[in-house]
Amino acid sequence: MAMLTVENLEASYGAVRALHGISIEVAEGELVALLGVNGVGKSTTLKSIMGVLRPVKGTITFEGQEITNRSPEKIVKRGISLVPEGREIFGTLTVEENLRLGAYVGFKRDRYKADLEEMFELFPILKDRFHQAGGLLSGGEQQMLAIARALMGHPKLIMLDEPSLGLSPAMTDQIFRLIVTLKERGSTILLVEQNAERALEIVDRAYLLANGQIEHAGTAEEIKRKVDVASVYFGDQTDADSCEVSL
Amino acid sequence: MIDLEFVINTLSLGSLYALLALGLVLVYGILKLVNFAYGEYIMIAGYAIYLSATLLHAPWYLTLLIAVLAAVLVSYLTELIAFRPVRSQSPNALIVTSFAVSVFLQNVVLIMVSPRARPVQLPFFFSRTIEIAGATVPLRNLLVIAVTAVLLVALSLLMKKTVVGMAMRAAADKFTTTRLMGVPANLVISTAFVISGLLAGVASIFWVSRSASVDPLTGAAPLLIAFIAVVTGGMHSTLGAVVGGFVYGLVFNLLSVTLPASMISYRDAFMFALVVVFLLFRPAGIIKRGYTEERVG
Amino acid sequence: MMDKITAFIRKHQTVVLLAVPLVLAGVLISMFGSRLLLDIYTYFCVSLGMVYGLQVFMGNSGILSWTHVGFVGIGAYVTGILVTPPMVKEMGVPNMYPALVDLSLPVVPSILIGALVAAAIAALIGYPLMRLNDFASVITLFATLIVIHVVMTQWDNVTNGPRTFFGLPQWTTWGIALGGALLMLLVAYWFRESGLGLKLRATRDDRYAAAAIGIDMVLTRYLGFVLSALMAGFVGGLWALYITSFSPKSFYMAEMFLLLSMLVIGGSGSVSGATVGAVVVTIAREGLRQVEATINNAHVLSFEVFGLTELVMAVLMVMVLIWRPSGVVGGQELRLPRFGKKKDVPAEVDGLAA
């Protein structure tokens, strides 16, 4: 029984269809990646799961209960957390306040203190920056804050949207190591990445998206064998010819 | 010309205008709604005073409480009934909705009460004057300064220390992301409207006390003042609204004492022209902040 | 040749679809309708002209153009000053500048000058205003309307101040009003379909993308604004020559609310929307007025009912915005259904950030 099941998801922006029936599954404890070049609908999928976008068709089930068309706040309450693309840190709020809002769902004072300590252990930099405005942090620090903020709500499923985007290679390494750590700690993770090569090194399974559809699905090994990863990474010639929707 | 009396008068006028502007900008910050119905919250609070003090002869503290509660209630209800269903639509649809709400409320009062002005009775101590260092100042001018100071402190505590306050600041910055924290959109928006109504109610007490009467169009002038103060101060922060309120009060008083008598009837036109010119040079207002243009749904 | 004409008409069928019922209604009402009905129709045609002018700028740019009714007022006052005989002005506007009192022109040039003056004022103040967006743009245009209003009420050497300006001949008949509305329809339609109108609509939909493909947003808006003011001034003249006496109050919030409700209820995105909105609002308003009058005349209530019309209009407007946010017509121009139906385009799904 999968934790998250997405069936036949279709979504569109106005008249532009972005997803043409996507089905994915994530089981408890799994680290699954959603791969593909820019604009194939990876973020749209996450936003639809999260209730930020309303799908045209399809069902989304989480822990056996349908959550299609629920509001984002309700879905967060169910235990899904999204680390959005571009970090989306509250720039005018301090690091502390960002984390406090992350703990909004099911807030318990005693647990909150312990959680903070845990975050400081995972991300020591956040302790130093605790009272600074989120907007003053560097890109990598913001990404850590965004992940910490999501963890503060004790999600059952974490969805990471392009966590390595715009980061230095060293920082990218750090983020990928962190994702592995999170998995080892027992988190269930759905990772969206353009950097297919790197993602395939750490994930259990992966889905490969092209033009709003799933082209390949399988374990990391299978995907690596089936697909010329470099072509995915850089964008396949034949794919580039077809009309792509830029999101 | 610039003496203690002028300073106190300017401070009191600025305080009142700051309250007006603050109530408007709180809602704008989160919903990106230019609320034309805001003046009507002030007008309704004025009628609440009329009902409570003039008709029912309630004690003054009860009257003031009823006035503020009336504004809060109307503000909340307009959000619930009119703005919430239109929220995800274009900014113009929201503005036009607020304009329609404004027309609706004005005409409700017109039909239910009267098109003519009604007298309002304010607490006896409002009309007292006291002397400070040789200057004669109406007590209500000092009161509005004190009340504004208290409200500003309380509001900033609310925004800084409570989770709802944090959520409101977060929502003004990134609305969708705030929802991704699990914060209900409706909670944040309703809270903004409730506070907006509260500020309108308090401002109304001081506003109607100046003319001691209320009519269906009472809300128009304070609405304009709030508009102008907000655009001058900067529509992207609460600090901007407060600064804008005080600047507007200062300029208004300066124009009042410096304009020749024959030009005084053009004072409002002057004010608006000044603001328009000012905005051309500084479109974001006095207090500039990163432009966030995300829309809310 | 015949083919070309048919193709042309088919391409621009919207104009025909809108104009034919309009003309037909006028002819029928003038032949069989009552005096009251013809009056309502005439006033409707003039309002329609105003709404077309509003649509040109607001509909295509997405900017709430509060000033529109102010430009209508400018057209009305200029026409009034030029057309009214010096004798009448001397009596009616005691403080008027002597030079203005002596002016006297035939009707048609007066209307045209009124339109030009409105456009000139728009041209003078418009450019900087067009740079602003969002809150600042809404408020400054709103403030500009107030400035226009204050000047109208205070400059009694020109406008007779807050008092009534009277003495214009009733020159605008139903036919002339209809002609004016048709002319405005053509201009509004032409503008929407023109390159400039297309550019303006592009800035409305996404100003960054529009800038990225080389559209000068401020200039585009500016030209639309001036054209819209020209139309407002023109219709203002027709209006003044129908109403024959007016005061600054006629060009303020209440009237603006009416124009806005017409455009928004019909759908500001298209000329068809403006037309349908004007029809719906006029019918609703006249109906409500009848109800209000009936209630007041029947003396069933102990008081007079004022403002019922506005009240219901406001509710109607919010209801339309809730259920049909892009108006009754919905942003598209009216066209006859095509053979071989096109598949329905899925509606906007984004529930959050529009």
Side-chain angles (χ1 to χ4, degrees):
Chain A
M1 178 77 195
M3 185 183 231
L4 174 79
T5 315
V6 176
E7 276 173 306
N8 249 327
L9 186 69
E10 290 184 26
S12 61
Y13 293 86
V16 184
R17 190 58 61 98
L19 293 180
H20 304 268
I22 291 218
S23 299
I24 56 175
E25 275 188 4
V26 182
E28 192 167 352
E30 253 191 325
L31 170 50
V32 177
L34 212 53
L35 307 173
V37 292
N38 204 7
V40 292
K42 304 185 300 285
S43 293
T44 307
T45 309
L46 294 196
K47 282 183 187 163
S48 303
I49 295 172
M50 217 52 225
V52 174
L53 287 177
R54 267 200 208 127
V56 177
K57 248 193 198 156
T59 53
I60 301 158
T61 320
F62 185 66
E63 294 192 312
Q65 280 178 309
E66 194 179 328
I67 56 166
T68 327
N69 287 328
R70 290 286 156 84
S71 70
E73 46 264 40
K74 293 238 170 74
I75 291 170
V76 174
K77 232 177 178 170
R78 290 281 176 90
I80 307 181
S81 192
L82 171 68
V83 179
E85 186 179 350
R87 275 85 74 173
E88 298 279 317
I89 291 301
F90 302 119
T92 52
L93 271 62
T94 63
V95 169
E96 179 182 11
E97 289 167 334
N98 269 281
L99 292 173
R100 176 64 188 84
L101 281 180
Y104 183 88
V105 172
F107 180 78
K108 291 192 195 76
R109 191 158 295 280
D110 40 342
R111 191 176 72 176
Y112 177 66
K113 284 270 182 275
D115 289 348
L116 274 184
E117 287 308 318
E118 207 180 330
M119 289 309 130
F120 293 155
E121 227 168 86
L122 275 172
F123 313 94
I125 190 75
L126 294 185
K127 192 168 187 176
D128 305 336
R129 306 275 186 184
F130 200 49
H131 297 293
Q132 278 185 23
L136 298 176
L137 270 55
S138 75
E141 289 165 358
Q142 286 195 0
Q143 188 61 61
M144 291 183 188
L145 176 56
I147 295 173
R149 189 177 65 179
L151 289 173
M152 289 298 286
H154 291 267
K156 295 169 187 159
L157 168 68
I158 309 177
M159 303 197 294
L160 298 161
D161 196 351
E162 306 265 10
S164 72
L165 196 72
L167 298 185
S168 69
M171 194 52 89
T172 306
D173 288 344
Q174 213 177 327
I175 295 290
F176 274 99
R177 271 203 302 278
L178 176 78
I179 295 170
V180 174
T181 314
L182 290 182
K183 180 187 156 49
E184 283 163 359
R185 284 163 29 117
S187 295
T188 310
I189 302 170
L190 180 57
L191 170 69
V192 155
E193 261 296 335
Q194 262 188 77
N195 192 339
E197 221 165 352
R198 285 301 301 272
L200 286 173
E201 288 169 14
I202 61 166
V203 299
D204 302 322
R205 288 192 302 116
Y207 294 91
L208 190 62
L209 258 70
N211 299 322
Q213 279 167 321
I214 291 179
E215 222 170 50
H216 297 287
T219 64
E221 289 308 312
E222 285 169 354
I223 296 277
K224 269 193 230 170
R225 243 183 293 126
K226 255 193 256 175
V227 188
D228 177 9
V229 171
S231 78
V232 175
Y233 187 16
F234 294 111
D236 185 316
Q237 215 49 47
T238 51
D239 265 5
D241 288 341
S242 55
C243 171
E244 281 182 3
V245 181
S246 160
L247 305 180
Chain B
M1 218 179 261
I2 311 287
D3 50 15
L4 184 65
E5 208 175 316
F6 179 86
V7 171
I8 292 180
N9 282 341
T10 302
L11 275 181
S12 78
L13 200 63
S15 298
L16 181 58
Y17 291 0
L19 284 184
L20 291 172
L22 202 52
L24 193 69
V25 88
L26 271 174
V27 166
Y28 176 76
I30 290 169
L31 206 52
K32 304 291 172 276
L33 158 69
V34 183
N35 191 1
F36 279 85
Y38 182 65
E40 271 41 81
Y41 306 159
I42 294 163
M43 181 265 294
I44 298 279
Y47 274 97
I49 300 177
Y50 163 67
L51 177 77
S52 169
T54 312
L55 295 184
L56 300 176
H57 305 290
W60 64 268
Y61 47 88
L62 210 58
T63 295
L64 300 189
L65 187 70
I66 288 173
V68 174
L69 285 182
V72 168
L73 187 70
V74 172
S75 176
Y76 176 71
L77 287 179
T78 52
E79 191 271 319
L80 197 67
I81 297 166
F83 298 126
R84 190 170 291 184
V86 192
R87 204 162 73 197
S88 56
Q89 278 136 32
S90 77
N92 279 349
L94 257 177
I95 294 173
V96 170
T97 302
S98 78
F99 199 60
V101 169
S102 157
V103 169
F104 175 81
L105 290 174
Q106 279 176 18
N107 285 288
V108 164
V109 174
L110 205 70
I111 294 175
M112 308 254 300
V113 190
S114 160
R116 273 187 290 277
R118 292 290 184 218
V120 293
Q121 242 164 27
L122 283 137
F124 60 93
F125 51 83
F126 264 56
S127 46
R128 293 259 172 94
T129 59
I130 53 169
E131 297 219 352
I132 308 173
T136 316
V137 192
L139 185 60
R140 94 181 128 80
N141 283 8
L142 295 175
L143 269 177
V144 69
I145 298 174
V147 169
T148 304
V150 169
L151 279 176
L152 286 183
V153 170
L155 192 64
S156 89
L157 282 178
L158 177 85
M159 297 299 256
K160 287 254 160 64
K161 299 290 173 197
T162 69
V163 183
V164 177
M166 276 178 218
M168 286 177 66
R169 279 157 56 217
D173 184 11
K174 296 183 174 71
F175 190 83
T176 306
T177 313
T178 310
R179 298 183 75 179
L180 290 181
M181 303 294 109
V183 180
N186 290 339
L187 172 78
V188 173
I189 292 170
S190 295
T191 311
F193 271 92
V194 165
I195 300 175
S196 174
L198 179 97
L199 293 168
V202 174
S204 175
I205 294 168
F206 293 101
W207 183 269
V208 297
S209 77
R210 306 198 311 179
S211 61
S213 72
V214 58
D215 65 76
L217 293 177
T218 293
L223 175 73
L224 272 178
I225 289 165
F227 276 170
I228 300 301
V230 167
V231 279
T232 323
M235 54 233 93
H236 295 285
S237 70
T238 43
L239 176 67
V242 175
V243 170
F246 279 100
V247 169
Y248 189 88
L250 176 68
V251 175
F252 187 89
N253 269 358
L254 280 177
L255 279 180
S256 301
V257 292
T258 52
L259 274 186
S262 61
M263 297 295 278
I264 215 84
S265 52
Y266 287 97
R267 184 179 53 199
D268 291 343
F270 260 107
M271 291 290 306
F272 298 139
L274 273 179
V275 168
V276 171
V277 171
F278 169 77
L279 279 178
L280 303 181
F281 293 104
R282 211 177 157 86
I286 297 170
I287 307 291
K288 229 178 189 167
R289 271 245 305 266
Y291 256 77
T292 48
E293 298 190 357
E294 186 197 17
R295 292 258 313 119
V296 163
Chain C
M1 187 60 202
M2 215 42 216
D3 281 357
K4 268 191 180 163
I5 294 173
T6 353
F8 184 81
I9 290 178
R10 181 165 298 157
K11 189 175 171 213
H12 300 289
Q13 54 174 290
T14 304
V15 175
V16 181
L17 283 177
L18 295 176
V20 169
L22 200 62
V23 175
L24 220 60
V27 172
L28 287 178
I29 290 173
S30 74
M31 284 163 73
F32 307 111
S34 66
R35 173 80 217 162
L36 175 71
L37 205 55
L38 196 63
D39 275 344
I40 293 174
Y41 176 79
T42 311
Y43 198 86
F44 161 75
C45 281
V46 177
S47 308
L48 192 58
M50 292 181 198
V51 178
Y52 285 142
L54 184 64
Q55 198 278 332
V56 161
F57 181 64
M58 182 178 146
N60 293 313
S61 74
I63 296 173
L64 263 184
S65 180
W66 295 107
T67 44
H68 194 72
V69 80
F71 292 124
V72 170
I74 291 169
Y77 272 110
V78 171
T79 307
I81 290 164
L82 293 177
V83 165
T84 312
M87 292 270 287
V88 182
K89 277 188 280 190
E90 216 166 297
M91 197 173 61
V93 192
N95 293 335
M96 190 181 265
Y97 296 124
L100 287 183
V101 175
D102 296 338
L103 278 177
S104 188
L105 284 176
V107 167
V108 174
S110 300
I111 296 175
L112 294 179
I113 291 173
L116 287 175
V117 171
I121 291 174
L124 204 66
I125 61 172
Y127 196 82
L129 291 173
M130 296 301 113
R131 292 175 46 204
L132 302 170
N133 293 305
D134 305 325
F135 196 113
S137 131
V138 174
I139 301 305
T140 43
L141 283 169
F142 191 69
T144 308
L145 173 61
I146 292 164
V147 172
I148 295 175
H149 182 72
V150 170
V151 171
M152 277 180 189
T153 40
Q154 302 298 333
W155 204 6
D156 60 355
N157 314 94
V158 175
T159 63
N160 204 22
R163 292 171 299 278
T164 306
F165 187 104
F166 62 89
L168 283 81
Q170 197 178 42
W171 180 78
T172 305
T173 58
W174 72 269
I176 291 170
L178 173 63
L182 290 178
L183 180 64
M184 294 301 112
L185 166 64
L186 284 177
V187 175
Y189 178 79
W190 162 80
F191 181 79
R192 186 175 184 273
E193 303 298 317
S194 74
L196 190 61
L198 189 64
K199 281 188 196 168
L200 192 55
R201 282 189 276 154
T203 67
R204 172 192 71 191
D205 293 341
D206 187 335
R207 63 172 180 268
Y208 301 109
I213 56 169
I215 294 174
D216 183 342
M217 179 188 77
V218 181
L219 182 69
T220 314
R221 281 180 178 174
Y222 178 69
L223 295 174
F225 185 67
V226 174
L227 175 65
S228 167
L230 184 77
M231 296 167 78
F234 177 81
V235 182
L238 293 182
W239 180 88
L241 288 162
Y242 174 69
I243 292 290
T244 71
S245 65
F246 48 85
S247 70
K249 241 176 47 196
S250 314
F251 316 107
Y252 210 37
M253 302 300 168
E255 306 312 308
M256 196 57 216
F257 178 64
L258 208 64
L259 291 182
L260 267 182
S261 58
M262 287 178 180
L263 192 56
V264 169
I265 285 176
S268 64
S270 67
V271 178
S272 312
T275 317
V276 173
V279 173
V280 170
V281 169
T282 302
I283 292 174
R285 192 168 69 130
E286 295 305 328
L288 285 165
R289 274 191 180 163
Q290 295 297 321
V291 172
E292 207 175 299
T294 314
I295 292 176
N296 286 342
N297 290 337
H299 300 288
V300 282
L301 300 173
S302 56
F303 51 92
E304 296 252 298
V305 180
F306 287 114
L308 184 69
T309 310
E310 284 75 14
L311 190 109
V312 180
M313 290 302 303
V315 174
L316 195 72
M317 196 151 146
V318 174
M319 274 161 47
V320 169
L321 285 169
I322 291 173
W323 285 300
R324 296 235 20 162
S326 47
V328 176
V329 175
Q332 303 296 314
E333 294 296 2
L334 288 181
R335 300 186 77 87
L336 292 172
R338 284 255 199 84
F339 304 104
K341 245 178 109 187
K342 238 173 64 181
K343 240 181 104 182
D344 274 352
V345 173
E348 191 80 27
V349 288
D350 189 349
L352 280 174

